[in-house]
Amino acid sequence: MTIKINAKQVSMRFRDRVLFHIPELVIGPNDAIYLKGDNGVGKTTLLKILSGLIKPTTGKLIPPSRSLLSRFTGQSGRKDVIYLHQNPYLFDGTVYQNVAYGLKFQKLSPQEKRAQVINALRLVGLETIADEHISVLSGGEKQRVAVVRAWILKPSILMMDEPSASLDQESIDRIVELSKDLLARGSSLIITSHQSNALTALCKKQWWIKENTLIESPLLQIVKSTTYENPYASTKLN
Ligand SMILES: Nc1ncnc2c1ncn2[C@@H]1O[C@H](COP(=O)(O)OP(=O)(O)O)[C@@H](O)[C@H]1O
Ligand SMILES: [Mg+2]
């Protein structure tokens, strides 16, 4: 299943300061969006609004934001929207426990669960440290655990907030692979970053928060005027 989000007249104000006002935005099915802008323009705030974590000062989201976050779709355990914080919260436990946590709503035998988690960890090159405590991991490894924990839930939309800040090349490459896989399954991605990199290169659209609103960058216009074939769109989520 894919979902689409339509937001109208969304604005955010902190006391007297208007952070942004966005007349309209749409996240389409199987979208890949690079959200850029200088520090402090409101990228994180916008992602939190779009994922239902915080309410905008004005504006409306369709579907309503409260129904987006943490909504599980049946037995599959898939989430509709996952917002991945820049410094993801990992709980006190092993790498395995952190990733397996996402599968707790699924009816899986212990063996099936173990196989799924190890398989997922293999994709990010962490299967050999599955039983290590999270505290011994490097920053890049922790970030990979956080991304794989989101990936295993097969979200319809994954929002990654500055995922590549201070990451080593291997971690970026691994996260790129997981992101490609999500796109191939029909999911959508939004990636914030203040500079372009291998992850933002996956995106077919650019949103730019500038002068208190959201604009399409010139690159987006160029991309739009050429026919874009999504190389990952061969299979769809069911
Ligand atoms: N809860 C809040 N109360 C007051 N100001 C906030 C709050 N959350 C964010 N801000 C302010 O809004 C601005 C945008 O923050 P943020 O969305 O984190 O920007 P970005 O992710 O683009 O760097 C910052 O100046 C920040 O201090
Ligand atoms: Mg931010």
Side-chain angles (χ1 to χ4, degrees):
M1 190 196 81
T2 56
I3 61 167
K4 193 177 154 188
I5 295 180
N6 194 336
K8 285 203 167 83
Q9 306 299 343
V10 166
S11 71
M12 195 65 184
R13 196 175 63 221
F14 294 118
R15 296 180 188 276
D16 294 338
R17 175 182 171 212
V18 176
L19 192 58
F20 51 69
H21 174 252
I22 302 168
E24 180 163 25
L25 68 81
V26 174
I27 305 169
N30 209 200
D31 239 342
I33 299 162
Y34 168 22
L35 172 59
K36 63 181 198 173
D38 292 341
N39 278 334
V41 293
K43 300 182 295 299
T44 294
T45 303
L46 180 61
L47 288 196
K48 286 183 176 172
I49 290 171
L50 293 175
S51 61
L53 275 169
I54 58 173
K55 280 180 82 169
T57 311
T58 68
K60 201 164 82 160
L61 258 64
I62 302 166
S65 58
R66 70 176 178 285
S67 73
L68 290 171
L69 195 73
S70 305
R71 192 173 74 180
F72 287 87
T73 47
Q75 291 295 308
S76 70
R78 279 187 50 224
K79 271 187 167 184
D80 280 346
V81 179
I82 294 181
Y83 166 75
L84 201 60
H85 195 273
Q86 180 172 4
N87 302 115
Y89 171 75
L90 296 170
F91 64 79
D92 189 21
T94 64
V95 170
Y96 178 87
Q97 287 166 339
N98 268 275
V99 177
Y101 179 81
L103 297 177
K104 68 178 178 176
F105 295 108
Q106 298 187 33
K107 289 194 174 125
L108 296 171
S109 69
Q111 293 83 351
E112 283 170 329
K113 189 190 263 188
R114 179 93 195 165
Q116 275 203 26
V117 172
I118 297 299
N119 201 27
L121 286 171
R122 195 169 287 126
L123 297 174
V124 288
L126 296 181
E127 74 280 11
T128 56
I129 58 166
D131 296 314
E132 293 289 350
H133 193 271
I134 210 79
S135 59
V136 305
L137 270 60
S138 72
E141 288 168 338
K142 284 181 186 158
Q143 192 81 7
R144 279 190 255 167
V145 172
V147 176
V148 90
R149 188 173 61 177
W151 174 88
I152 210 166
L153 291 172
K154 309 289 184 281
S156 296
I157 304 177
L158 177 61
M159 304 186 182
M160 290 192 272
D161 202 355
E162 304 276 353
S164 54
S166 73
L167 280 195
D168 53 277
Q169 194 56 46
E170 182 182 1
S171 294
I172 293 178
D173 292 345
R174 299 284 192 171
I175 293 172
V176 164
E177 289 311 309
L178 291 188
S179 301
K180 283 183 180 174
D181 180 73
L182 282 176
L183 290 171
R185 292 164 182 273
S187 298
S188 295
L189 293 178
I190 307 185
I191 299 164
T192 71
S193 177
H194 52 270
Q195 57 187 37
S196 49
N197 54 43
L199 257 174
T200 61
L202 294 175
C203 297
K204 57 185 172 181
K205 281 188 189 167
Q206 284 192 67
W207 286 351
W208 195 5
I209 301 182
K210 199 173 156 61
E211 290 164 9
N212 310 101
T213 193
L214 188 74
I215 56 172
E216 299 180 347
S217 73
L219 181 60
L220 175 61
Q221 308 287 343
I222 294 163
V223 171
K224 261 192 167 172
S225 66
T226 59
T227 311
Y228 178 83
E229 290 289 332
N230 184 344
Y232 313 117
S234 51
T235 49
K236 295 283 178 196
L237 287 168
N238 48 36

